[in-house]
């Protein structure tokens, strides 16, 4: 058991028979009435985000999530294959379980597979990934002065806003938390 006063971003807890990850939290001590903790939680099973309020000092169950390093192998008919890099065991996950992460997954990429007991919760991709631009409009000389952006599609199908100097074939570093362009790789 853990007190809600000890919340940290990234902590995993069990509330109402569901597994949640703490995204944001705020300790509130109003002038009148009891203190409480306002939190924003992501459901680890379906990805939904909920806001929950707890009384200060309330005890909830901490969820022990195991991470195992795996390599993304390939996709076949709505099923995605991963291989444990130490034991070479293979695991298959349906598209629905990892739909958000698919925008950043390329073959042979190493990821963390999240597991609660025997249940596979999903996949955690690195905070930034390198992806190749497959489609974008060519930059026009002199456009860089305005500091504007244009859309570019990368190899996974994700579309991001990039500076005018980015061309097809360029490798970009993309932030997976926000889905935004960081720099050229």
């Amino acid at each position: 058991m853990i007190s809600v006063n000890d919340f940290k971003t990234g902590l995993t807890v069990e509330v109402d028979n569901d597994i949640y990850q703490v995204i944001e939290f705020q300790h509130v001590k109003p002038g009148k009435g009891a203190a409480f903790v306002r939190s924003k939680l992501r459901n680890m099973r379906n990805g939904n985000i909920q806001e929950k309020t707890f009384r200060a000092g309330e005890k909830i169950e901490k969820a022990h999530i195991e991470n195992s390093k795996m390599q993304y192998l390939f996709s076949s008919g709505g099923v995605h294959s991963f291989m444990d890099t130490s034991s070479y065991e293979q695991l298959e996950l349906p598209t629905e379980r990892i739909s958000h992460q698919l925008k950043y997954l390329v073959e042979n990429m190493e990821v963390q597979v999240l597991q609660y007991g025997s249940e596979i919760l999903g996949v955690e991709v690195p905070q930034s990934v390198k992806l190749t631009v497959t489609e974008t409009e060519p930059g026009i000389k002199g456009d860089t002065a305005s500091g504007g952006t244009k859309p570019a599609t990368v190899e996974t199908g994700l579309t991001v806003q990039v500076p005018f100097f980015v061309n097809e074939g360029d490798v970009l570093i993309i932030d997976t938390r926000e889905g935004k362009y960081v720099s050229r790789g």
Side-chain angles (χ1 to χ4, degrees), residues 71-76 79-82 90-92 107-108:
Q71 185 177 30
Y72 178 58
L73 297 177
F74 59 88
S75 163
S76 174
V79 176
H80 305 274
S81 297
F82 296 86
Q90 289 194 14
L91 166 75
E92 292 184 338
E107 291 182 6
N108 301 321

Side-chain angles (χ1 to χ4, degrees), residues 16-111:
D16 302 328
N17 293 324
D18 260 329
I19 311 301
Y20 293 96
Q21 183 175 34
V22 177
I23 299 173
E24 290 177 15
F25 64 96
Q26 179 183 17
H27 296 278
V28 180
K29 190 171 182 180
K32 188 175 185 182
F36 59 92
V37 176
R38 186 178 293 135
S39 63
K40 195 179 273 192
L41 307 172
R42 174 183 287 122
N43 187 316
M44 298 288 286
R45 290 188 172 120
N46 59 25
N48 293 342
I49 295 176
Q50 283 186 313
E51 290 189 14
K52 286 196 177 279
T53 303
F54 301 96
R55 292 183 315 275
E58 187 175 337
K59 301 277 189 197
I60 56 176
E61 194 70 37
K62 183 176 180 185
H64 296 284
I65 305 294
E66 301 218 4
N67 293 347
S68 38
K69 189 185 279 189
M70 293 199 165
Q71 185 177 30
Y72 178 58
L73 297 177
F74 59 88
S75 163
S76 174
V79 176
H80 305 274
S81 297
F82 296 86
M83 178 182 68
D84 189 315
T85 55
S86 57
S87 68
Y88 301 108
E89 287 182 36
Q90 289 194 14
L91 166 75
E92 292 184 338
L93 292 175
T95 300
E96 309 84 61
R97 184 61 59 93
I98 59 170
S99 59
H100 175 71
Q101 291 82 0
L102 281 177
K103 297 182 258 184
Y104 309 106
L105 280 178
V106 291
E107 291 182 6
N108 301 321
M109 177 185 280
E110 285 198 352
V111 296

